[in-house]
């Protein structure tokens, strides 16, 4: 090779050839300048650094790149930039409040995916020839699109299923951690967030900007019996448990009662779980080791930051102290007392039961594509690890199945899939009259799975509200394409 080059250089140079070489160099130089300019705008700096809304680089990018779209996993556009006649741009949310907390907004600050994937939508990975053409014609580059893990059919079913109730619905794909739907109410319309801003921030009681799936802390009521039941299993006390429920029982000046104080009669461990017997579970609380219960709770992700890709999660709290009264211990064992949980956390526990005890970290970004639909990158869920053994998950699954076949979750019986879960009717006022309607669980069919947590604030019983809503989610998810 060296010899050949040498030979070529020694050849006498002709005039025409010289001009040709010069033109080539000029074009090559211009090309390199354009390439450098494109690179400068499309990704030399780290995403973490540049993704801050305070970064002036983003302001600069917005002058040259038109913010990309946000789509659901099934291709529905849920956020897009529209160019107005006067040349200004408007961020449009075709579904209004339906995706308020998951997609968020990008005016008056930002929230949700609009915030977390701000930078990704301000870059353009369009084929470079197209980029150069647009650059040369002084046009804005179309930014990359963010594809979410959300399923628009589930999001719609969850949103309308909530009706006028406040609360939260979250669904996860257990073996990946993909968030399939995420609804929080009360909501807001991201299209009019700028106009509505003053009234939204001044109304501290409604806290509409709060994403109740990750930031809402609720008394779990009977869905927390999953924790107590696991502890009973771990201590080897489940198999021999038997209790006579008379509908209510007084301990330490406190009366624990079952739903409508109806006596469940003699219940074993499985029947107590399926029928959600508070008296039996309150007494299990008195039987178990407090320290071990606390250690199990830690393992089940209580009292700590949840392993998710969401930055705005709050910690659930549960615990039994040495000096707790019997009354408080019994309340803790049935998910009352001081216990507070987020719907996301409950969905993660159900997810782990569905996934042989293994938690996959929930995430909402599926992939990034360029404006022509070409794949730029995909996101993968991280594995957090096991929060219960495979054997425990299997036993818990049997209990959660019994809730559907013989217990309080019979509204979820279906020929199309197999459902599992735990209902909850959580008291949140001192007079015990007002209750939140809870359900957490999962369903499967031919290896396809979905885990959920549903809470409808002040709605009453689980069977009348959270269970039917969950049924509509499961029906939607497993319906024939
Ligand atoms: Zn009972």
């Amino acid at each position: 090779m060296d010899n050949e080059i040498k030979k070529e250089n020694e050849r006498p140079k002709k005039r025409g050839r010289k001009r040709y070489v010069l033109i080539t160099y000029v074009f090559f130089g211009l090309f390199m300048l354009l390439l450098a300019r494109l690179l400068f705008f499309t990704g030399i700096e780290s995403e973490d650094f540049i993704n801050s809304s305070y970064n002036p680089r983003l302001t600069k990018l917005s002058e040259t790149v038109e913010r990309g779209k946000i789509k659901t996993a099934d291709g529905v556009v849920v956020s897009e930039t529209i160019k107005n006649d006067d040349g200004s741009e408007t961020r449009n949310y075709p579904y209004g409040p339906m995706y308020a907390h998951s997609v968020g907004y990008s005016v008056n600050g930002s929230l949700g995916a609009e915030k977390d994937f701000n930078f990704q939508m301000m870059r353009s990975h369009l084929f470079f020839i197209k980029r150069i053409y647009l650059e040369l014609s002084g046009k804005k580059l179309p930014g990359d699109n963010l594809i979410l893990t959300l399923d628009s059919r589930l999001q719609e079913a969850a949103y309308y299923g909530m009706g006028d109730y406040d609360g939260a619905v979250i669904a996860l794909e257990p073996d990946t951690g993909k968030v399939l739907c995420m609804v929080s109410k009360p909501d807001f319309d991201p299209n009019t967030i700028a106009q509505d801003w003053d009234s939204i921030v001044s109304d501290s009681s409604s806290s509409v900007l709060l994403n109740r799936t990750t930031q809402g802390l609720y008394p779990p009521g009977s869905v927390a019996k999953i924790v107590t039941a696991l502890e009973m299993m771990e201590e080897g006390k489940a198999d021999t448990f038997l209790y006579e429920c008379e509908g209510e029982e007084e301990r330490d000046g406190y009366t624990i009662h079952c739903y409508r104080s109806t006596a469940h009669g003699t219940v074993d461990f499985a029947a107590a779980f399926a029928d959600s017997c508070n008296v039996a579970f309150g007494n299990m609380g008195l039987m178990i080791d407090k320290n071990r219960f606390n250690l199990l709770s830690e393992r089940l992700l209580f009292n700590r930051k949840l392993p998710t890709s969401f930055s705005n999660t709050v910690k659930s709290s549960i615990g039994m102290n040495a000096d707790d009264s019997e009354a408080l211990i019994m309340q803790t064992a049935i998910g009352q007392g001081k216990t507070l949980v987020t719907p996301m956390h409950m969905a993660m526990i159900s997810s782990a039961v569905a996934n042989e005890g293994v938690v996959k970290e929930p995430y909402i970004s599926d992939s990034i594509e360029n404006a022509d639909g070409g794949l730029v990158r995909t996101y993968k869920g991280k594995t957090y690890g096991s929060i219960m053994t495979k054997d425990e998950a299997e036993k818990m699954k049997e209990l959660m199945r019994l809730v559907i076949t013989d217990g309080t979750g019979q509204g979820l019986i279906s020929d199309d899939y197999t459902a599992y879960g735990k209902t909850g009717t959580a008291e949140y006022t001192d007079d015990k009259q007002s209750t939140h309607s809870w359900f957490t669980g999962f369903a499967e069919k031919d290896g396809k799975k979905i885990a959920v947590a549903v809470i409808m604030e002040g709605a009453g019983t689980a069977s009348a509200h959270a269970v039917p809503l969950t049924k509509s989610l499961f029906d939607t998810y497993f319906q024939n394409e």
Side-chain angles (χ1 to χ4, degrees):
M1 279 296 274
D2 280 354
N3 285 343
E4 280 174 36
I5 290 168
K6 215 174 171 185
K7 246 187 233 170
E8 201 170 338
N9 287 344
E10 283 166 357
R11 228 180 268 165
K13 291 164 190 164
K14 287 180 186 161
R15 216 182 149 83
R17 182 175 173 84
K18 213 172 177 180
R19 189 178 297 135
Y20 170 75
V21 168
L22 185 69
I23 289 167
T24 304
Y25 278 136
V26 166
F27 272 98
F28 183 72
L30 276 172
F31 179 73
M32 288 309 284
L33 275 172
L34 279 167
L35 201 64
R37 182 169 153 75
L38 283 168
L39 280 174
F40 180 71
F41 282 118
T42 55
I44 300 169
E45 290 170 84
S46 90
E47 293 184 5
D48 286 342
F49 170 72
I50 210 167
N51 218 358
S52 156
S53 53
Y54 303 105
N55 195 310
R57 160 76 64 246
L58 282 171
T59 318
K60 188 84 185 152
L61 276 176
S62 68
E63 290 166 9
T64 54
V65 178
E66 184 184 295
R67 190 179 183 81
K69 298 181 175 79
I70 302 182
K71 298 180 187 177
T72 62
D74 48 334
V76 175
V77 174
V78 292
S79 175
E80 63 191 342
T81 295
I82 289 175
K83 203 153 198 170
N84 304 314
D85 292 341
D86 63 358
S88 63
E89 291 172 348
T90 305
R91 196 68 171 163
N92 179 49
Y93 301 90
Y95 293 85
M98 191 183 290
Y99 293 85
H101 297 88
S102 47
V103 167
Y105 55 83
S106 66
V107 275
N108 279 51
S110 56
L111 186 82
E114 289 276 32
K115 179 183 182 186
D116 295 343
F117 300 91
N118 190 20
F119 175 59
Q120 284 79 359
M121 288 181 277
M122 295 304 295
R123 296 203 302 182
S124 178
H125 283 90
L126 213 57
F127 184 55
F128 78 100
I129 300 282
K130 277 194 176 179
R131 274 192 275 163
I132 289 170
Y133 169 75
L134 288 169
E135 281 271 310
L136 289 174
S137 32
K139 288 181 182 157
K140 274 192 169 186
L141 301 175
D144 293 341
N145 299 326
L146 168 66
I147 315 299
L148 300 174
T149 56
L150 299 177
D151 179 322
S152 71
R153 300 166 312 152
L154 286 174
Q155 186 76 11
E156 198 173 312
Y159 185 78
Y160 291 118
M162 285 294 284
D164 292 331
Y165 286 106
D166 288 346
V169 183
I170 174 107
L172 304 172
E173 191 175 70
D175 53 359
T176 59
K178 284 181 181 177
V179 175
L180 300 172
C181 73
M182 179 181 249
V183 167
S184 175
K185 285 199 179 183
D187 53 31
F188 58 91
D189 187 347
N191 290 305
T192 54
I193 188 89
Q195 296 96 295
D196 303 341
W197 189 252
D198 287 344
S199 66
I200 284 175
V201 292
S202 66
D203 186 0
S204 57
S205 61
S206 77
S207 56
V208 298
L209 296 179
L210 192 81
N211 183 346
R212 280 161 163 72
T213 62
T214 53
Q215 298 171 295
L217 282 172
Y218 295 100
S222 296
V223 293
K225 284 175 183 158
I226 293 171
V227 184
T228 310
L230 277 170
E231 181 55 28
M232 285 289 283
M233 288 187 214
E234 293 201 348
E235 291 188 33
K237 293 172 178 167
D239 291 343
T240 54
F241 181 85
L242 264 187
Y243 207 82
E244 180 73 25
C245 166
E246 292 173 355
E248 56 183 40
E249 189 175 308
E250 196 192 312
R251 285 262 186 165
D252 198 19
Y254 166 79
T255 303
I256 191 165
H257 64 95
C258 288
Y259 180 60
R260 288 184 176 158
S261 295
T262 306
H264 285 112
T266 306
V267 287
D268 61 8
F269 178 68
F273 190 88
D275 295 336
S276 208
C277 177
N278 286 341
V279 172
F281 264 83
N283 279 281
M284 286 183 211
L286 300 175
M287 290 169 66
I288 56 181
D289 183 295
K290 295 186 186 72
N291 286 333
R292 287 188 63 167
F293 178 84
N294 291 339
L295 288 172
L296 169 70
S297 302
E298 293 278 324
R299 212 185 331 133
L300 293 176
L301 310 171
F302 282 88
N303 308 323
R304 57 198 294 185
K305 190 175 178 345
L306 285 177
T308 73
S309 68
F310 297 86
S311 52
N312 59 351
T313 57
V314 297
K315 294 177 190 174
S316 299
S317 55
I318 198 171
M320 289 185 179
N321 297 311
D323 56 353
D324 282 352
S325 65
E326 284 197 334
L328 185 54
I329 295 288
M330 290 174 93
Q331 290 177 62
T332 304
I334 62 165
Q336 297 288 160
K338 296 173 186 166
T339 308
L340 290 171
V341 300
T342 61
M344 172 67 93
H345 184 191
M346 289 297 102
M348 287 169 77
I349 291 178
S350 284
S351 233
V353 175
N355 197 36
E356 300 184 334
V358 177
V359 165
K360 300 290 283 192
E361 297 188 9
Y363 69 106
I364 199 164
S365 53
D366 180 78
S367 54
I368 303 288
E369 63 173 30
N370 71 20
D372 285 339
L375 187 65
V376 174
R377 69 165 289 189
T378 49
Y379 294 90
K380 287 268 187 305
K382 291 182 193 152
T383 302
Y384 167 77
S386 292
I387 60 168
M388 65 189 81
T389 66
K390 196 175 166 182
D391 186 47
E392 283 171 344
E394 199 51 46
K395 283 181 180 159
M396 182 48 66
K397 201 172 157 178
E398 283 171 24
L399 288 177
M400 288 169 91
R401 179 64 188 152
L402 214 55
V403 170
I404 311 299
T405 56
D406 297 70
T408 52
Q410 292 180 36
L412 284 165
I413 292 174
S414 168
D415 293 334
D416 296 335
Y417 50 83
T418 313
Y420 309 79
K422 185 72 198 81
T423 55
T425 301
E427 295 161 357
Y428 64 97
T429 52
D430 289 339
D431 62 8
K432 299 175 182 172
Q433 294 304 307
S434 306
T435 51
H436 295 322
S437 177
W438 263 109
F439 183 82
T440 187
F442 59 97
E444 61 183 2
K445 180 191 184 180
D446 303 331
K448 186 178 174 182
K449 295 173 191 176
I450 176 175
V452 301
V454 173
I455 174 149
M456 299 169 77
E457 295 178 20
T461 62
S463 53
H465 297 277
V467 168
L469 196 162
T470 304
K471 177 82 165 43
S472 75
L473 293 180
F474 289 173
D475 288 350
T476 301
Y477 193 60
F478 292 106
Q479 79 188 14
N480 293 328
E481 304 288 330

